[in-house]
């Protein structure tokens, strides 16, 4: 496997040490996951909406949390499986998704990643996504750009023209969304009919990385999960992707508040107006809930 060169964002943006810690922890956890996939783990149901948790989730999470605690013992940590580990204030919160794509792992599908973010108050300042299958890592610092194995991610803007068959899109929805949710059904139906393909990978952070690389045109989320959203949204933004609420308002990308504030449309800037038009056509904006206006916007 070739080494990742120039993968770290501009350290002048601050939080470079935190970014290095997150990258190292994610890659160590990824090596653990890769060594046990596809057979070396047990799984059990999680909640009432079809989610699962595996031994790998727990082992990888423990590793990542320990690495963050060793380096930044006073920071608060929110982890997917173990919940909150309190800090002593300062507004710094780490978000740890040790295995984004657990359902994929259980069925032997090699589409899963490790995700880590650091937020100061509500704003993500560090985002890391590591793919154990390829060994590739993508990282971002707020204001410092996004980087991958080949250096800075700068190919999103001014990319390929939109296909006459429609955009290549991805979709995600939160675990709490009912199967018969009318807004989700209307939105997904419209996107499927008006796009070239609508991907649902069951691993949102992997999708964010694809969007940041320019592999897909857009990503739409409905009441998305909080734990992985800040890392993915920061990575995409720092790569030049525009992220908005369903009504076109500025998207903060935070992890608190009701899940109605975590519905989003993300895409290449030149494609975003078309994506927002599709959302409007679906009639999903404001249906059965509040308008999608964030509590704060990210400059």
């Amino acid at each position: 496997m070739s080494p990742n060169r120039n993968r770290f964002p501009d350290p002048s943006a601050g939080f470079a040490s935190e970014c290095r810690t997150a990258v190292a922890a994610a890659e160590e956890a990824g090596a653990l996951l890769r060594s046990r996939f596809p057979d070396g783990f047990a799984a059990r149901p999680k909640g009432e909406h079809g989610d699962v948790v595996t031994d790998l989730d727990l082992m990888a999470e423990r590793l990542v949390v320990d690495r963050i605690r060793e380096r930044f013992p006073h920071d608060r940590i929110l982890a997917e499986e173990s919940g909150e580990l309190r800090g002593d204030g300062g507004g710094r919160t780490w978000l740890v998704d040790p295995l984004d794509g657990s359902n994929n792992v259980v069925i032997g599908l090699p589409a899963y990643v490790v995700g880590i973010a650091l937020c100061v108050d509500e704003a993500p300042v560090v985002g890391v996504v590591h793919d154990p299958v390829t060994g590739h890592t993508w990282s971002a610092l707020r204001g410092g750009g996004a980087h991958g194995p080949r250096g800075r991610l700068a190919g999103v803007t001014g990319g390929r023209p939109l296909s006459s068959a429609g955009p290549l899109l991805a979709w995600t929805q939160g675990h709490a969304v009912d199967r018969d949710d009318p807004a989700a059904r209307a939105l997904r139906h419209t996107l499927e009919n008006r796009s070239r393909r609508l991907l649902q990978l069951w691993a949102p952070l992997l999708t964010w990385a694809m969007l940041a690389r320019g592999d897909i045109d857009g990503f739409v989320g409905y009441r998305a999960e909080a734990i992985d959203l800040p890392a993915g949204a920061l990575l995409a933004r720092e790569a030049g992707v525009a992220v908005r609420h369903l009504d076109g308002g500025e998207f903060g990308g935070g992890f608190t508040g009701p899940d109605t504030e975590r519905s989003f449309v993300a895409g290449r800037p030149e494609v975003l107006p078309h994506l927002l038009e599709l959302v409007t056509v679906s009639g999903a904006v404001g249906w059965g809930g509040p308008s999608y206006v964030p509590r704060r916007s990210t400059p």
Side-chain angles (χ1 to χ4, degrees):
M1 187 179 304
S2 61
N4 287 341
R5 295 181 178 177
N6 302 319
R7 66 183 175 191
F8 291 113
D10 183 358
S12 67
F15 301 100
S17 176
E18 288 86 345
C19 187
R20 286 192 294 269
T21 296
V23 167
E27 292 180 348
E28 188 177 354
L32 170 64
L33 297 175
R34 188 168 57 248
S35 70
R36 302 288 292 269
F37 178 83
D39 302 315
F41 63 90
R44 64 178 185 275
K46 174 184 173 182
E48 301 177 351
H49 299 280
D51 200 11
V52 296
V53 61
T54 73
D55 295 344
L56 297 181
D57 293 80
L58 302 176
M59 290 187 291
E61 181 174 286
R62 190 176 307 116
L63 188 157
V64 172
V65 168
D66 285 349
R67 297 298 177 267
I68 294 173
R69 272 288 193 237
E70 289 168 4
R71 186 67 180 81
F72 305 102
H74 303 296
D75 287 356
R76 178 179 180 237
I77 302 174
L78 290 179
E80 173 76 9
E81 307 304 335
S82 57
E84 180 181 6
L85 287 80
R86 294 189 177 184
D88 62 0
R92 290 167 51 111
T93 301
W94 293 86
L95 304 176
V96 178
D97 192 342
L99 177 49
D100 186 31
S102 299
N103 279 284
N104 293 340
V105 167
V106 167
I107 63 174
L109 182 65
Y112 60 95
V113 295
V114 181
I116 303 173
L118 172 63
C119 295
V120 176
D121 298 324
E122 278 288 295
V125 296
V126 172
V128 171
V129 178
H130 172 68
D131 181 354
V133 178
T134 63
H136 291 168
T137 303
W138 300 273
S139 60
L141 285 171
R142 185 180 184 186
H147 280 61
R150 295 180 178 88
R152 190 179 181 96
L153 299 178
V156 171
T157 58
R160 63 186 181 278
L162 194 62
S163 168
S164 60
L168 178 56
L169 304 178
W171 164 266
T172 189
Q173 66 185 49
H175 294 301
V177 178
D178 293 333
R179 293 176 184 268
D180 60 351
D181 183 286
R185 284 193 302 171
L187 186 53
R188 191 169 56 242
H189 177 73
T190 300
L191 295 175
E192 286 174 340
N193 283 344
R194 303 290 188 92
S195 65
R196 180 158 51 100
R197 292 287 187 277
L198 183 65
L199 309 177
Q200 188 169 359
L201 300 183
W202 295 358
L205 281 170
L206 182 58
T207 308
W208 282 113
M210 293 176 65
L211 183 62
R213 296 196 306 262
D215 299 336
I216 58 178
D217 298 310
F219 187 20
V220 179
Y222 180 70
R223 294 170 56 190
E225 297 296 308
I227 198 74
D228 51 54
L229 183 57
L234 179 66
L235 180 67
R237 273 189 168 132
E238 290 295 328
V241 171
V243 186
R244 298 288 186 270
H245 280 274
L246 297 187
D247 65 0
E250 287 294 326
F251 186 79
F255 59 91
T256 63
D259 61 8
T260 50
E261 294 187 355
R262 296 195 297 273
S263 295
F264 63 84
V265 179
R268 294 186 285 124
E270 65 270 25
V271 175
L272 189 68
H274 177 68
L275 302 184
L276 290 170
E277 182 181 355
L278 294 183
V279 173
T280 300
V281 168
S282 76
V285 177
W287 189 349
S291 177
Y292 294 88
V293 177
R295 290 177 303 145
R296 67 172 67 203
S297 52
T298 300

